[in-house]
Amino acid sequence: MKRSLLASLGPLDPTPIRHAYVHVPFCASICPFCSFHVAVRERGAVERFLVDLDAELAEVAEHCEVELDTLYLGGGTPTFLRSDELERLTAMVTARLGWPKLEATIEIHPSTATAERVRRWVELGFNRLSVGAQSFDDGILEALGRTHSAADTLDIIDACLATGAVTSLDLMMPSPGQDVAADVARAIATGVPHVSVYALTIEPGTPFAIAGRVVADGDAAEAIEGAAGLLAAAGYERYEVSNYARPGARCLHDQAYWNARPCLGVGPSASGLVRLGDGTHARYSNPRLGEWMAPRGPLSIAVAGPGADAVAGAGAGGGDPDDGGDASEAGGGEVDLMTGEALMGDLLLCGLRLVEGVDLETVAERGGVDPRLVRGGELKRLESDGLVEVRGSLLRATDHGRMLLDGVASALM
Ligand code: SF4
C-alpha cells in the first residue's frame, strides 16, 4: 500500500507544483480545544514517523513535478522534534522535493523554544516563524490548556525577531474573561509584522465540547472584528479572514492556499490539492497516523482528536479513490474529485476569504463554468444584500459579508 494518495490518482498535470505542507503530528500535551489530529510522543514513534515520512516524500517525488516556492511545516508541534530530528526532516525535504525558493514556515510552540533553538531553525532554512501565542494572559493560557506563560511567548518572539526571519504570532479568541483589546495591544507591541487571529470554535469530540463549552457566534464575531479594527489602526492590513500583515509580510503559502493553487500535503492527515492531467482537481487528505503508518504494521500510539478512537493503531483500510463517484475514502484518507460546478464552488469558497477577492474570469477558466452565468441571480441578490461587491471581474466579500462567509459561499455553491 502506498502512503500518499497521490500515487492512486493517475497522471497529474505536468506543471510543477510550487507549494507543500508537511504535517508533524506530535505535541507535548493535547490542548482541550484542539481538533487537529495529533499524538503525544511515545518511544520509537518519532523515529518511525521520520522513516515513513521519507518514504512518502519519495513516492510524491516519483509521482509529481515539484519546484517549491513555499513550504509550511505545521502540526501538531513541529518544534517538539529535537534539533537533530528536525535537521533530518529538512534534509529529507531538500533531497526529495528541493528546498523552497521563497518561503519556509515553521510553527513554533513557545514551550518548545529557546533563543538557541530558534537560531538553529533559521540556520536550517526556515525564514518565516509562526509563534502560537494565543493570549498574553496567563489565566487564559491556563484555561486553554497551554503549557507556556505570556513571558515565555514574549521571550521567544524577541528571539525570533532577532534572527531577521519574518515573525508571525497567532491569537485565539474569545475565551471567558479574555480582554481582547489587551491581547491585541500586546501583540502589536511585540513589533511582529504579521498576526493571525482565530476564533475559538468548539469542535465536536474535543474536551471543550465534551465539557459543554459553547462560544456564541455573535461573541466570536465581535471579538474578531474588534481585533481587526485595532490591528488596522496600528497599520496591519487584513488580507485574509484571519490574517493581518505589515507591507511585505504576507504569508505567501497561505495566499497560494486560498487562491487554490496546487499544494502537496505530506504526512499523516495532511491535506493537498492537485490538478490531474484531464483538468480535474483533487483535494485529498492523507490517512490519519495509525493508518498512515500501517504499511509497516500498525503502531500502538496515543492519538487525540475527534474520531481518534476509530483510527489509533488501526490497520490499513481498503478502497480506491477512483471508485465510487466524486468523493471516496482510501486507507482512511479521502479524495474529492472536482470538475465543473463543484470546482467552481471550491474556488469561490477559497477566494472569498481573501480581502482582495476572487477573479471570476479565472474561476471560469479553471473550472470551465462561469459563475456569472450559472449563479448570476445569487450574485445579484448577495450584492443587493450588501454581502459582496462585483467590480469588473473581481468578486469580493464586504466587511459584513466576511462575517457571514459560510452563508455567502454556500449560496454560490
Ligand atoms: S493546539 Fe497546537 S499544541 Fe495544542 S494540541 Fe493542537 S496542535 Fe498541539
Side-chain angles (χ1 to χ4, degrees), residues 356-375:
E356 281 153 12
V358 55
D359 182 34
L360 296 173
E361 207 71 64
T362 306
V363 171
E365 269 169 35
R366 288 182 69 186
V369 179
D370 191 331
R372 292 164 294 191
L373 299 180
V374 299
R375 295 289 183 274

Side-chain angles (χ1 to χ4, degrees), residues 20 111 116 152 157 168 264 269 288 297 320 330 335 349 362 391:
S111 67
E116 191 183 332
D152 294 336
I157 289 170
S168 175
L264 298 167
S269 73
R288 291 180 169 200
D320 177 341
V335 177
L349 181 63
T362 306
R391 299 260 163 83

